[in-house]
Amino acid sequence: MDFAEVHLKRGRDEAVAEKSPWIFSGAIHAVREFEHDGQPCKVFLGDRIVATGYINTQTNIAVRVLEYADVEIDRAFLCRRLETSRTMKETLLQGSTDAYRLVHAEGDLLPGLVVDRYGDYLVVQSSTAGMDALRKDLVPVLVDLFRPMGILEKSTSTSRKTEGLEEVRQVLYGEVPDEVVITEHGLRYVVDLAGGQKTGFFLDQRENRRIIAQHAAGRTALNAYCYSATIGLCMHKAGAASVHNVDLSEGALALAARNYALNGIAPGEDEFQVADVKDFLAEMPDDRYDLVVLDPPKFTASKRTVGAAIKGYKHINMLALRKIQPGGLLFTFSCSGLVDMELFRKIVFYAAKDAGRDARIVRALSADVDHCLSVYHRENEYLKGLMLYVA
Ligand SMILES: C[S@@+](CC[C@H](N)C(=O)[O-])C[C@H]1O[C@@H](n2cnc3c(N)ncnc32)[C@H](O)[C@@H]1O
């Protein structure tokens, strides 16, 4: 393999010192032996190789580090990484599901790559030129390790544009059906691989589904931004008095009804409504529910729009808090990476203040264990949530 050489500026070795998976262009003194963006590279501090990764000269994050050592980037390397991730995920999830995130990008030391496993099928997402270049080695390794029936590539993240890449949707191996059925904590869900959001399913909310269900018995619940109503279904099974599932997408609610049916519940037993949650909440009388889940889509992907996102989160949380009876619960989430937990807490504080409600944080929530984070990299901590007791 031909590696580019990336020489760091003197005194700009902070990324190396902190073992960050990202090296920014400003820290680079010179690039030699460069052939193309996405090329594997060795990172030099003086005449010493300190890291191996891949380079993109078009982006602010110029190098994504695969290992802080001088290593080969080949099938054996990918195999080691994937085996470690599989062992970790399967050990931690203890057979509770046949669907999990096998590779969570930087969290699993494979920047730019997501691999989700849905039973016998794998869905791969590459967000960088470097990962696109490694695809030809990745596929045979995935086939050897998992013997899947099929591998689908769904590389559709907006960050591909920054890398100068088009969206890619293709079958990389075998045959892939449009849908599969997975089992999580004893419940079955349809995963829309072809047309669904993300890689087809919100795997990250697995543990939160369980936590929310633990508190649902007897409650009048609203599942706002419900997608395929997985949280609603868990609350129903846990004995909620009623569940109102609301989403803007008709397709999502069609999936939701099928998920209910798949688990032996007539969809008529709960409510499903296509609506914009903001309008829906604005029209609801106060004190209507005693459990509300707010799991909106990402409100911002860029620093320029963080201000608008803060306003948006505050508004929906304020509305939701007004609709909750004293003694009720709010489970509120944000999946915007640019809104960290500290900021999210502040937003919820202002929402409670303006709603005039005494809301108490009883639990902090996050993505489940298969969405691990590298201690050397905070940036991919995207999903955060709070469980609030509304007195
Ligand atoms: C993060 S997902 C929810 C995932 C879901 N809680 C789960 O665990 O499967 C966000 C959902 O919000 C929906 N959505 C986006 N904008 C909306 C809006 N203004 N009103 C209602 N739903 C909206 C999307 O269709 C999507 O299904």
Side-chain angles (χ1 to χ4, degrees):
M1 184 172 281
D2 294 328
F3 288 91
E5 289 185 6
V6 174
H7 295 265
L8 299 183
K9 287 178 183 161
R10 259 176 222 276
R12 291 299 310 271
D13 59 348
E14 61 275 6
V16 176
E18 292 178 4
K19 289 200 176 346
S20 168
W22 293 355
I23 298 176
F24 289 93
S25 54
I28 294 174
H29 161 64
V31 179
R32 305 201 178 109
E33 313 294 334
F34 176 77
E35 288 169 16
H36 60 88
D37 287 320
Q39 187 182 355
C41 67
K42 302 280 179 188
V43 179
F44 286 76
L45 206 52
D47 55 9
R48 198 163 52 90
I49 295 176
V50 289
T52 308
Y54 57 78
I55 183 167
N56 191 336
T57 56
Q58 307 299 311
T59 51
N60 200 16
I61 305 166
V63 174
R64 305 214 184 212
V65 174
L66 292 161
E67 186 149 336
Y68 269 101
D70 180 4
V71 294
E72 275 307 315
I73 302 301
D74 51 15
R75 290 185 189 185
F77 168 85
L78 290 171
C79 190
R80 282 198 303 279
R81 281 278 191 275
L82 292 168
E83 275 188 322
T84 304
S85 292
R86 173 163 76 172
T87 303
M88 177 183 126
K89 313 286 164 106
E90 292 188 352
T91 305
L92 294 175
L93 290 167
Q94 301 177 334
S96 57
T97 180
D98 58 359
Y100 61 86
R101 178 149 295 188
L102 172 69
V103 177
H104 187 46
E106 281 81 357
D108 283 300
L109 309 186
L110 285 169
L113 180 68
V114 162
V115 182
D116 285 344
R117 182 174 191 184
Y118 294 108
D120 290 328
Y121 299 91
L122 299 171
V123 182
V124 170
Q125 278 189 324
S126 159
S127 57
T128 58
M131 263 308 149
D132 278 13
L134 286 177
R135 193 193 281 128
K136 62 180 186 324
D137 286 326
L138 178 70
V139 173
V141 173
L142 287 171
V143 171
D144 275 359
L145 280 178
F146 295 97
R147 303 272 160 219
M149 310 266 282
I151 305 177
L152 176 69
E153 176 174 7
K154 213 172 164 186
S155 296
T156 54
S157 69
T158 44
S159 57
R160 283 180 71 83
K161 241 188 218 149
T162 328
E163 292 264 328
L165 304 169
E166 302 285 323
E167 281 195 0
V168 179
R169 283 171 194 269
Q170 59 179 339
V171 173
L172 292 172
Y173 174 79
E175 285 183 22
V176 182
D178 285 352
E179 293 179 354
V180 293
V181 172
I182 59 151
T183 305
E184 178 191 287
H185 289 302
L187 293 178
R188 301 174 76 213
Y189 300 104
V190 182
V191 178
D192 179 1
L193 297 176
Q197 298 181 25
K198 301 210 3 174
T199 60
F201 194 74
F202 289 86
L203 294 166
D204 49 3
Q205 288 287 25
R206 184 187 310 105
E207 181 62 8
N208 296 324
R209 281 188 270 278
R210 224 164 58 91
I211 293 171
I212 295 168
Q214 277 169 4
H215 298 278
R219 292 193 187 263
T220 304
L222 169 65
N223 183 21
Y225 304 98
C226 68
Y227 187 52
S228 57
T230 57
I231 297 175
L233 179 52
C234 290
M235 291 196 286
H236 182 108
K237 284 283 185 188
S242 66
V243 181
H244 209 147
N245 294 298
V246 180
D247 201 282
L248 198 53
S249 154
E250 273 182 46
L253 287 172
L255 269 182
R258 290 176 59 203
N259 279 337
Y260 267 58
L262 197 58
N263 291 281
I265 311 167
E269 290 186 37
D270 279 337
E271 286 182 72
F272 297 82
Q273 191 163 336
V274 177
D276 184 317
V277 166
K278 281 192 302 306
D279 304 337
F280 175 86
L281 284 172
E283 285 162 18
M284 252 316 122
D286 286 355
D287 294 350
R288 165 75 174 75
Y289 298 103
D290 54 12
L291 191 163
V292 173
V293 179
L294 281 184
D295 186 18
K298 183 155 63 172
F299 279 179
T300 177
S302 125
K303 285 190 177 150
R304 274 182 302 109
T305 51
V306 169
I310 291 173
K311 280 193 189 143
Y313 284 122
K314 193 206 129 190
H315 186 63
I316 57 168
N317 279 280
M318 184 192 68
L319 289 176
L321 282 161
R322 286 191 178 141
K323 310 303 161 190
I324 299 175
Q325 289 168 22
L329 300 171
L330 173 63
F331 293 87
T332 180
F333 296 93
S334 158
C335 58
S336 302
L338 290 166
V339 174
D340 64 13
M341 184 54 115
E342 204 182 325
L343 177 55
F344 189 55
R345 232 181 114 145
K346 261 190 215 155
I347 294 169
V348 172
F349 155 71
Y350 281 110
K353 185 168 163 282
D354 286 6
R357 301 304 301 265
D358 168 11
R360 302 169 191 187
I361 296 171
V362 290
R363 207 196 252 276
L365 305 163
S366 63
D368 203 5
V369 290
D370 48 339
H371 293 61
C372 54
L373 305 171
S374 161
V375 288
Y376 302 107
H377 182 67
R378 282 195 57 194
E379 281 81 349
N380 66 346
E381 185 173 8
Y382 69 103
L383 182 65
K384 66 219 58 88
L386 292 170
M387 172 182 172
L388 300 147
Y389 181 84
V390 186

